[in-house]
Amino acid sequence: MKNILLLLTLCFVIPGSVAQKDSSLDALLAAGVEDAQRFTHDYLKPGANGLMHSMNANWFNSAKAKPLGAFEISVNGNYGPIKEEKKMFVMNTDLYNNVVFSSGSKTQQVATILGENNPNVEVTITYDDPIFGNQKVVVDLPSGLEAENVNFIPTAFIQGALGLSHGLEVKARFMPVISIDDMDYNMYGGALQGEFTEWISDDIYMPVSISGLVAYTKVETTYHFPGAVGIAGDNQKVENGTSTWLFQLIGSTRWPIINFYGGIGLISGTSKSDLKGEYIVTNGSISADPIIDPFSVSSNISDFRGTIGTKLKLGFFRLNAEYQISDFDVFSVGVNFGWR
């Protein structure tokens, strides 16, 4: 699983046991920063986009805004199934300077961070050795989550909601800093929901509640490369920052125990990963000049989404489940405890 944590933050070559294959980080950086950056972008993009959808599930479970002083505390878990088309991408070596498929083909379907190369996909990398001139090395391209029998994108968080006056409700969600091996992760966000039907005269009967919601979510991750990564240098790490905005129109029933809700919305966001630190590409005793903070890759989304869900309210205890339909679908469950 530790290898997958590495893959979730950067997409260089996988470890190999065949002597004639050099699958170290040296290989891709030796091929050139531009080639490494291009592959990293295509490899990580589906995973970053899927994360942006998953981290925005379950911002609401009703269109009815809570009255002044009412509150709800929720523990939410999200399951984002991975679509088949998100597991692979077409790699065209004509767009690379020093990388070709060992099979001789120019284009080939290869795994994203969500997929698997089965069988392995070999590429040949050409680099300039300061003593021996052009040299070649064969490496395996990395697989992703599917190789670990993981076919979904998970997220989880704690969320709180507090009713204000005049049909307004404020929300906040967070995941405290979690350190796993060499990775640090945290998430936080806030939202404001306003119930339009609360602003309508009491003389007009409305069988449903209608509201709007604006939400912001931020995820920050840092992965520190262990000393065994196989490349000389200092302070080697990957820093990722992912932020999103959600604009949602919500409708729900007004029954006392069980209710149904749904909505349509727009989600937009950016995910940026920076390879930081000093990297010294070596070939035996020969070392090239250090490469400092080699590159950054980013991904953006702007997608419509639809949400359908249901909520059960039994006094202080509440339970809700919803399904989000978009470029990446998400199923979410929330266990809620609240007053009023």
Side-chain angles (χ1 to χ4, degrees):
M1 194 63 177
K2 186 172 181 179
N3 288 336
I4 288 300
L5 294 178
L6 176 58
L7 291 172
L8 282 168
T9 49
L10 194 62
C11 62
F12 295 111
V13 291
I14 58 176
S17 59
V18 182
Q20 64 266 30
K21 294 183 181 179
D22 182 349
S23 58
S24 68
L25 180 55
D26 286 15
L28 274 179
L29 287 178
V33 170
E34 183 179 347
D35 282 356
Q37 182 179 29
R38 179 181 295 278
F39 181 80
T40 303
H41 173 269
D42 292 341
Y43 179 82
L44 288 182
K45 182 179 178 180
N49 292 356
L51 172 63
M52 285 188 272
H53 281 272
S54 183
M55 63 194 254
N56 273 280
N58 224 331
W59 261 118
F60 55 90
N61 53 39
S62 175
K64 179 65 178 175
K66 292 175 176 53
L68 178 64
F71 68 88
E72 188 172 78
I73 305 296
S74 306
V75 178
N76 298 327
N78 304 327
Y79 172 95
I82 299 172
K83 300 176 182 178
E84 288 299 318
E85 63 265 27
K86 304 299 184 182
K87 296 180 180 180
M88 308 293 288
F89 74 94
V90 178
M91 180 176 175
N92 183 352
T93 56
D94 282 343
L95 302 177
Y96 290 76
N97 299 313
N98 301 301
V99 180
V100 297
F101 288 112
S102 300
S103 64
S105 62
K106 289 186 176 295
T107 61
Q108 189 170 334
Q109 290 270 354
V110 301
T112 69
I113 194 172
L114 305 178
E116 179 184 13
N117 289 319
N118 187 13
N120 291 340
V121 177
E122 292 183 350
V123 293
T124 301
I125 294 174
T126 303
Y127 65 96
D128 184 32
D129 186 278
I131 301 297
F132 303 105
N134 282 347
Q135 300 292 306
K136 293 183 178 181
V137 62
V138 176
V139 299
D140 289 334
L141 292 181
S143 286
L145 293 178
E146 190 175 31
E148 297 289 323
N149 296 316
V150 177
N151 288 291
F152 63 95
I153 300 174
T155 51
F157 45 83
I158 299 170
Q159 180 168 305
L162 176 67
L164 306 177
S165 60
H166 304 294
L168 295 178
E169 181 178 322
V170 65
K171 306 170 188 279
R173 60 173 45 173
F174 79 101
M175 178 64 73
V177 176
I178 298 175
S179 297
I180 304 175
D181 294 330
D182 301 294
M183 187 179 75
D184 300 320
Y185 168 92
N186 75 296
M187 180 180 74
Y188 56 89
L192 180 66
Q193 181 174 333
E195 183 186 349
F196 305 142
T197 45
E198 182 71 16
W199 306 332
I200 298 175
S201 171
D202 292 338
D203 296 333
I204 301 175
Y205 172 72
M206 295 292 294
V208 296
S209 296
I210 300 174
S211 65
L213 176 139
V214 178
Y216 174 80
T217 311
K218 177 79 172 184
V219 169
E220 297 174 326
T221 306
T222 301
Y223 182 88
H224 299 272
F225 287 110
V229 73
I231 183 170
D234 185 53
N235 196 29
Q236 299 169 353
K237 60 184 178 181
V238 175
E239 294 179 347
N240 173 268
T242 300
S243 58
T244 61
W245 284 97
L246 174 65
F247 305 91
Q248 188 86 27
L249 180 66
I250 312 163
S252 69
T253 56
R254 288 180 152 186
W255 302 329
I257 298 177
I258 187 168
N259 281 281
F260 300 92
Y261 62 91
I264 56 173
L266 173 68
I267 179 174
S268 64
T270 299
S271 179
K272 183 182 178 185
S273 296
D274 302 310
L275 180 60
K276 297 284 191 176
E278 177 188 66
Y279 300 83
I280 303 174
V281 178
T282 62
N283 181 24
S285 60
I286 306 299
S287 297
D289 293 333
I291 303 173
I292 307 298
D293 298 343
F295 59 79
S296 299
V297 294
S298 62
S299 178
N300 301 285
I301 63 168
S302 182
D303 296 319
F304 289 101
R305 73 172 206 174
T307 303
I308 55 174
T310 184
K311 181 180 182 180
L312 176 67
K313 183 177 180 181
L314 298 173
F316 187 73
F317 174 78
R318 300 97 188 261
L319 180 69
N320 78 285
E322 68 177 40
Y323 196 82
Q324 171 186 306
I325 303 170
S326 188
D327 188 37
F328 285 84
D329 297 346
V330 182
F331 175 72
S332 182
V333 174
V335 178
N336 317 288
F337 303 91
W339 177 66
R340 298 176 65 191

